[in-house]
Amino acid sequence: MSKPKVILAFSGGLDTSFCVKYLSEDRGFEVHSALVNTGGFSEEELKDIEQKAYGLGVASHVTLDVVEKYYNDCIRYMVYGNVLKNNTYPLSVSAERVFQATAVAEYANKLGAKAIAHGSTGAGNDQVRFDVVFQIMVPDVEVITPIRDLKLSREAEIEYLKGKGVVRDWTKSTYSINKGLWGTSVGGKETLTSNGYLPESAWPTQVTKTGEETVKLHFEKGQLVGINGETMSPVEAICKLTDIAAPYGVGRDIHVGDTIIGIKGRVGFEAAAPLLIIKAHHLLEKHTLTKQQLYWKQTLGETYGTMLHEGQFLEPVVRNFETFLADTQDNVTGTVDIHLAPYRYQLIGIESKYDLMSSIFGTYGEMNNSWTGDDVRGFSKIVSNQTMIHRKVTDYAGK
């Protein structure tokens, strides 16, 4: 009789290593591990994780590369919407979790697995993000979460693995690092309290650049398609801009937010390219979109980001938001200049054939070419008319 198959979302860390042994040897599953690459692994790291998976006894291991899909189906919409959670965080990790869960669910369907497992604990957002996607995409497949269900401590996991003959250095690093295409999260003792900032040594990219430079970002219909005159794909541009800006210490911050499970949390992040792209894109939009476009984009962009952050990416209304956001980008084309220096950046300005700030129509505060003083006087009288009537009626009724 063949063993039932379980697909394990595998990272190679302590939690998923425990899951392999527990599911295969204690629960009797045939474990197939899947690592989903959203841009955070080198080729050497991927090979090392594969070796660890087979060393633990998995029946098969695959790397599911979703970097391009992640960009096309999500990151570009976060740029269109200028998504910064609480005006700070570019959703560096929360967004990619949805795509990791989706890829694992699709792989489970392909293999005809009876169960899916992940190594989330019961303490954070990721458990919800994975569970929600699995409930939507594979509702008839059992979801197993050994660490959460058994309420295991890190020490208990280590002792279990030692008992299974797994010898490895499980020394917990001082800081927890999660890297992806759209940034890197950094957690440590300073982020566990309400007061404290991460030390210089905690950041994955150290500050090595001491000079200053100006970078030109070229956008076409809202997407970054070139840097300093060189045309490239958006994914390549993100990687190149990270290489340019991260060594300046740009894009570092600590996000304070409301978790899905109802508690406050802090997390550090390093996201040089995402922050600069969003800020540059927003500046370009200020010049090329109308007041009403900017207003409604901000409203829907924030809602899009919140639903993505909370694992509701597959809700159909999110596709409606994406349609609107994409439709606003036709004229968001041009070049944005950014000045970089250690620990700071400055948006210099933009050049665009769609720039609505044109001297043909007037110069703010100095000269008008398309209206007269009498036009403004009449406009002011009309636009204030209803409020004037309201004030007079209210004053009269109060007497």
Side-chain angles (χ1 to χ4, degrees), residues 185-322:
S185 68
V186 186
K189 61 181 181 178
E190 292 84 2
T191 61
L192 298 178
T193 64
S194 300
N195 187 14
Y197 199 74
L198 294 168
E200 184 67 30
S201 60
W203 300 104
T205 305
Q206 295 293 289
V207 177
T208 56
K209 289 190 175 182
T210 57
E212 299 182 6
E213 63 181 295
T214 297
V215 178
K216 292 182 177 292
L217 303 187
H218 310 296
F219 289 87
E220 184 175 329
K221 294 184 181 297
Q223 299 191 70
L224 181 63
V225 295
I227 298 176
N228 292 334
E230 180 184 355
T231 301
M232 59 195 76
S233 74
V235 170
E236 292 172 332
I238 293 168
C239 295
K240 183 176 180 65
L241 185 56
T242 297
D243 292 340
I244 293 172
Y248 282 111
V250 169
R252 298 172 172 182
D253 207 342
I254 291 182
H255 165 60
V256 181
D258 298 289
T259 66
I260 306 171
I261 55 178
I263 61 175
K264 296 284 185 180
R266 296 177 86 217
V267 64
F269 64 89
E270 177 183 282
L275 184 64
L276 293 179
I277 291 169
I278 287 173
K279 292 295 186 181
H281 174 266
H282 192 203
L283 177 61
L284 187 58
E285 283 192 326
K286 289 178 183 178
H287 282 264
T288 58
L289 299 185
T290 67
K291 178 174 69 174
Q292 291 300 323
Q293 284 178 307
L294 289 168
Y295 173 83
W296 288 107
K297 273 192 74 279
Q298 179 176 338
T299 300
L300 289 186
E302 289 180 358
T303 304
Y304 177 88
T306 296
M307 295 194 71
L308 177 60
H309 176 73
E310 297 186 353
Q312 294 293 333
F313 181 75
L314 298 178
E315 157 63 44
V317 75
V318 176
R319 306 289 82 76
N320 304 136
F321 295 158
E322 291 167 349

Side-chain angles (χ1 to χ4, degrees), residues 85-86 89 91-98 100-101 118-134 145 148 178 185 255-267 305-312:
K85 186 66 174 173
N86 288 4
Y89 179 47
L91 301 187
S92 299
V93 173
S94 51
E96 68 182 21
R97 292 295 188 252
V98 172
Q100 291 166 345
H118 61 89
S120 298
T121 69
N125 287 326
D126 287 343
Q127 58 177 327
V128 178
R129 294 174 183 133
F130 277 97
D131 284 1
V132 167
V133 170
F134 294 157
T145 55
R148 179 175 64 184
N178 289 285
S185 68
H255 165 60
V256 181
D258 298 289
T259 66
I260 306 171
I261 55 178
I263 61 175
K264 296 284 185 180
R266 296 177 86 217
V267 64
T306 296
M307 295 194 71
L308 177 60
H309 176 73
E310 297 186 353
Q312 294 293 333

